[in-house]
């Protein structure tokens, strides 16, 4: 049986709404701790530029919303396939850096938030 044009349009609209709902979901991290799993599909934020001390780990997909980190972070390891932008201020404001997939980096001043670029 062939589906009608209106049925196909309704299915596409439903799929589009579901896709927006999934991508708009903000990333969720565990409470700050002292280690990350460094598993594929994660990004680990480090409070120390030496990659020790408090950490926060997020799992992909990270969604499109800005994520405020519970720690000021000086280093990161991006093991996702997503390019990120990290910001010096909360709510994705201030100075920012582009973080490509596979990037391991540190900075001199704490960063406070991130989102998918």
């Amino acid at each position: 049986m062939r589906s009608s044009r209106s049925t196909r349009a309704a299915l596409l609209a439903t799929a589009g709404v579901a896709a927006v709902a999934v991508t708009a979901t903000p990333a969720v991290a565990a409470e700050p701790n002292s280690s990350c799993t460094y598993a594929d599909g994660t990004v680990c934020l480090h409070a120390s530029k030496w990659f020790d001390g408090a950490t926060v780990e997020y799992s992909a997909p990270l969604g499109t919303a800005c994520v405020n980190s519970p720690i000021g972070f000086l280093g990161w390891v991006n093991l996702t396939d997503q390019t990120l932008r990290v910001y010096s201020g909360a709510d994705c404001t201030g100075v920012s850096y582009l973080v490509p997939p596979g990037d391991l980096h540190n900075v001199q001043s704490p960063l406070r938030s991130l989102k998918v670029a």
Side-chain angles (χ1 to χ4, degrees):
M1 177 166 121
R2 291 180 59 184
S3 61
S4 70
R5 194 173 292 202
S6 62
T7 302
R8 285 191 303 258
L11 287 172
L12 289 172
T14 302
V17 169
V20 168
V22 169
T23 59
T25 303
V28 178
E31 290 296 314
N33 59 47
S34 61
S35 66
C36 286
T37 64
Y38 299 108
D40 285 342
T42 63
V43 61
C44 182
L45 308 178
H46 291 267
S48 165
K49 69 179 183 177
W50 306 114
F51 299 94
D52 58 6
T55 63
V56 176
E57 185 171 73
Y58 297 92
S59 295
L62 298 176
T64 58
C66 179
V67 177
N68 289 315
S69 173
I71 61 172
F73 58 97
L74 293 168
W76 59 82
V77 179
N78 181 9
L79 297 175
T80 72
D81 61 358
Q82 297 178 297
T83 298
L84 310 175
R85 187 164 289 278
V86 293
Y87 295 84
S88 61
D91 302 320
C92 296
T93 60
V95 175
S96 68
Y97 301 94
L98 199 59
V99 179
D103 190 44
L104 176 142
H105 206 92
N106 64 8
V107 292
Q108 298 300 314
S109 298
L111 301 167
R112 306 275 179 214
S113 57
L114 69 138
K115 69 179 178 178
V116 174

